[in-house]
Amino acid sequence: MKQSVKLIAGNWKMNGLAASLGEVETLREALAAEPAACRVALCPPATLVHRLAGAVAGGGIEVGGQDCRAEASGAYTGGVSAEMLKDAGATLVILGHSERRQEFGESDLLVSSKAEAALRAGLSPIVCVGETLAQREAGEAVEVVRRQVMNSLPLALAGQAFAVAYEPVWAIGTGLTPTLEQIEEVHRAVRAAMIERLGLASAAAPILYGGSVKPENARDILAVPEVGGALVGGASLKAADFLGIIRGA
Ligand code: PGA
């Protein structure tokens, strides 16, 4: 299957203050000196989206949010809409991360409506899926991920710019990763489900792998068929580590 250029996206989670922009400056300078062979994105907490977008302006680094509400505005105290992220300078938004699915009980249906909101606002969604350890051990990984893809991707995504991120829950922040064969098996299943749901128009949308991606394993993971990039948590917080992953793409 033909793949578009790889996307390496950093997910800072609830980390980062104004002082963290120094790491972004280091990254920007390194990429100016030696341009990346892939797309590079950073998804800081909502409080930093605007400043980070300013800090990377013209540097080829894309900026994303980590979640949004489905509504554009209204009486939702504490909520951040896709329109607000766009207004702050984001072009991407991570949706349905397992930390949100687990902690906030986000369902596939809610994730799907958030993806529609992202499109409405002009953001490209990165929709996350992935099995738990219990599901992996029960031999249900492919089936679980397939169901999440079918139910979390709205039909409106057909022909639009978006990505899916396969992140096994048990690999996030643990240092554990699936074997390359396991990654390939799930990514092929994700691609098949995407095409079944959205048609061939989704054949070029990248499928990112996420979960304990580091400079040491990035090159091998990124070479797996149907791996179209990486969603990187911990290793995206330090410019040197994130660069090590970018150089593996
Ligand atoms: P990790 O997180 O790279 O720290 O494992 C990945 C993610 O949760 O997106």
Side-chain angles (χ1 to χ4, degrees), residues 9-13 94 97-99 128 165 167-168 171-176 209-214 231-236 245:
N11 172 13
W12 281 10
K13 309 192 181 186
I94 298 169
H97 190 283
S98 64
E99 285 154 15
C128 302
E167 299 202 304
I172 294 175
T174 58
L176 302 172
Y209 168 79
S212 298
V213 177
K214 303 182 273 275
L231 185 55
V232 184
S236 70
I245 293 168

Side-chain angles (χ1 to χ4, degrees), residues 150-177:
M150 295 299 282
N151 296 331
S152 303
L153 300 184
L155 292 175
L157 280 177
Q160 303 290 328
F162 73 101
V164 172
Y166 167 54
E167 299 202 304
V169 177
W170 52 274
I172 294 175
T174 58
L176 302 172
T177 52

Side-chain angles (χ1 to χ4, degrees), residues 12 14-24 44-45 47-48 51-52 237:
W12 281 10
M14 200 176 74
N15 298 291
L17 299 169
S20 320
L21 296 176
E23 290 297 320
V24 177
T47 48
L48 281 182
R51 268 178 291 181
L52 201 145
L237 294 170

Side-chain angles (χ1 to χ4, degrees), residues 14 18 27 57 62-63 77 103 111 150 201 209 223:
M14 200 176 74
L27 181 67
E62 301 168 48
V63 181
T77 302
E103 266 191 65
V111 174
M150 295 299 282
Y209 168 79

Side-chain angles (χ1 to χ4, degrees), residues 179-192:
T179 65
L180 299 178
E181 291 72 23
Q182 287 170 329
I183 293 175
E184 179 171 349
E185 181 190 28
V186 179
H187 277 239
R188 286 193 188 282
V190 169
R191 177 67 70 200

